Amino acid sequence: IITYSNTIVNRRVRKGIMVAGCPRSGSTILAKVLALSPRVGYVEEPFNCHTGMIGSDDRFFPYIYRGSEYQEIYDQLLDDILRGQAHYKENVLQPPTSNPMRLAYRHFLTNRYQIRYWLDTHDPRAKLLALKDPTASLCVEHFLHHPSLSAIFTLRHPCAVVASHIRLGWGSPLGQMLEDKALAIRFSDDVRNTQINHHEPTVALAWYWRAVNEIVLQVLENNPDLPLVT
C-alpha cells in the first residue's frame, strides 16, 4: 500500500484490455478514446522492443505461447504492468542530446510514457488499463489466460496500412517473423512459402499485413467473444 495525494491506494492487479492488431490499423486512436474516461488508464506499447517496458526482449513481434522460453518473463511483466510496478526502458529512438535539462529528464523520468503510466496507475479512479500495443498482437492469445486481461483487435484495409508504412519509411518484418519456427507453423502455406526478400516494398508489406491478420483471425475464432473494430 502506498500514499498518494493523501489517498491510500492498494497496489492490486487492475483489469486490463489489450488493444492490438497490425501496426497502423488504428489501435492508438482506439486506446486513447477508451482512456478519455477517468476510469481508464493508458499504457503505451509495453512490449515494444525499442520503447517498451524493461523485461521485453529484442524481438519486434514477440511470440509467446505456453511452454516457450519467454513465457515466465512475459507473464511476470504483464502482472507487473497491471499492478503499476513496471518501468519503461530508455527510449533508444530518442535523438541524442547534450542539453542538461533533457538529460536530467531522461535520467529521472525516462520518458513521457513512463510519466503517463505512473500517473494513471496511481490514480484511484482508474479501474481499467488500456494496453495499446500492436507489436503484442502475437502474444494476445497467451495473455488471455490472465484472469484480469481481455483484448480488442483493430482491422484496417491493407491499402491504408501499406500506404501508412511507406509514408513512415517502415519496412516489412515478415522475414524475421518467419525465422521463428513456432510462429511460422501458424501461418498459411502461402505466407510461409512467399519469397519475401524478392518482393518490392509494397508487396512485402501486403504479405506482412496478411500474416499478422492470419494470427488475429485465429485468435478471434478461438475466442469468439473478443471484439473486432474495423
Side-chain angles (χ1 to χ4, degrees):
I1 296 181
I2 64 169
T3 302
Y4 175 67
S5 299
N6 298 320
T7 303
I8 299 300
V9 182
N10 189 356
R11 304 312 302 275
R12 57 181 171 72
V13 176
R14 284 179 168 80
K15 291 187 177 296
I17 181 167
M18 181 75 75
V19 184
C22 185
R24 312 307 295 172
S25 291
S27 57
T28 300
I29 185 63
L30 176 58
K32 288 188 174 181
V33 167
L34 293 173
L36 290 175
S37 167
R39 295 176 61 84
V40 181
Y42 177 78
V43 185
E44 172 75 19
E45 300 197 9
F47 304 104
N48 187 300
C49 63
H50 298 302
T51 62
M53 300 288 191
I54 296 172
S56 56
D57 64 53
D58 59 357
R59 295 173 296 165
F60 180 70
F61 260 111
Y63 176 50
I64 309 300
Y65 55 94
R66 191 169 298 279
S68 69
E69 60 180 308
Y70 299 98
Q71 176 190 339
E72 292 185 5
I73 295 173
Y74 274 77
D75 284 348
Q76 183 61 56
L77 179 55
L78 175 60
D79 202 51
D80 288 345
I81 291 168
L82 295 178
R83 289 183 184 276
Q85 296 176 335
H87 298 276
Y88 278 90
K89 62 183 74 171
E90 182 180 353
N91 187 347
V92 298
L93 301 181
Q94 293 182 118
T97 181
S98 59
N99 185 302
M101 294 296 292
R102 288 183 179 274
L103 290 173
Y105 170 84
R106 293 179 184 181
H107 177 75
F108 291 106
L109 302 176
T110 309
N111 55 45
R112 59 190 173 90
Y113 302 148
Q114 179 67 44
I115 297 172
R116 175 73 184 268
Y117 171 73
W118 192 88
L119 290 173
D120 284 1
T121 55
H122 285 71
D123 187 339
R125 299 174 300 171
K127 308 300 182 184
L128 175 72
L129 294 178
L131 286 68
K132 189 278 293 191
D133 200 337
T135 69
S137 298
L138 310 184
C139 304
V140 169
E141 191 161 36
H142 172 72
F143 286 152
L144 289 176
H145 80 279
H146 196 291
S148 296
L149 189 78
S150 185
I152 183 170
F153 285 105
T154 57
L155 178 65
R156 189 182 185 192
H157 194 281
C159 290
V161 172
V162 169
S164 184
H165 276 75
I166 291 175
R167 177 176 60 84
L168 294 170
W170 294 359
S172 168
L174 180 55
Q176 299 174 21
M177 295 163 66
L178 290 172
E179 292 175 1
D180 186 332
K181 294 180 179 179
L183 172 60
I185 62 175
R186 297 195 60 180
F187 294 135
S188 65
D189 290 341
D190 288 340
V191 171
R192 285 198 301 271
N193 296 329
T194 184
Q195 300 297 314
I196 194 67
N197 294 328
H198 296 166
H199 293 308
E200 56 93 16
T202 301
V203 177
L205 286 166
W207 278 106
Y208 162 54
W209 176 93
R210 172 173 171 172
V212 174
N213 283 297
E214 281 188 356
I215 303 299
V216 168
L217 291 176
Q218 290 175 30
V219 176
L220 291 171
E221 289 174 358
N222 296 333
N223 302 273
D225 293 337
L226 295 183
L228 174 68
V229 176
T230 59

